[in-house]
Amino acid sequence: MGLEVVKVLLKAAAGGLFVLLFAALAEMIAPKRLAGVFSAAPSVALGGMLVTAALSGVSDVRQSALGMTIGAVAFVAYCLVGVPLLKRWGAWKGSSAALGVWLAVAVAGYLVVWP
């Protein structure tokens, strides 16, 4: 139990450090609308993966990276169908349908990667 708490604390610290570094990098980028590319999610993912590699090994990092990749592909699918569905069906139905697309792509990705 104690080691798990240490892992979580190290991941939080590493993620926070990368958030600060990426925020500083984003301040230097023009146009500012691209600054979100370097926001919290990639920073926390990178920090978490570094701590996982140090404490648990590369195979755990590989699994995390595959999961993040599948989630990113599903999120892109959600974004691509979300706008047209929102325009067509409104907020509740459109976002629910887009969430269904996200779920379908994510489940399909996991079934392909981890049969």
Side-chain angles (χ1 to χ4, degrees), residues 11 23 44 52 61 70 79 84 87:
K11 286 180 183 183
V44 172
T52 301
V61 174
I70 292 167
C79 292
K87 287 180 182 177

Side-chain angles (χ1 to χ4, degrees), residues 8-110:
V8 170
L9 291 175
L10 285 174
K11 286 180 183 183
L17 176 66
F18 280 109
V19 167
L20 291 173
L21 292 174
F22 280 115
L25 178 64
E27 283 298 315
M28 296 184 283
I29 292 178
K32 289 297 179 194
R33 63 180 167 231
L34 293 177
V37 172
F38 300 107
S39 63
S43 306
V44 172
L46 181 58
M49 287 172 54
L50 287 173
V51 172
T52 301
L55 297 177
S56 301
V58 178
S59 66
D60 286 350
V61 174
R62 181 182 179 278
Q63 288 182 338
S64 294
L66 283 172
M68 290 178 204
T69 303
I70 292 167
V73 170
F75 184 65
V76 168
Y78 174 87
C79 292
L80 290 174
V81 301
V83 172
L85 290 176
L86 287 172
K87 287 180 182 177
R88 181 177 183 139
W89 291 334
W92 282 102
K93 289 181 184 177
S95 60
S96 296
L99 187 60
V101 169
W102 173 86
L103 183 62
V105 172
V107 168
Y110 280 105

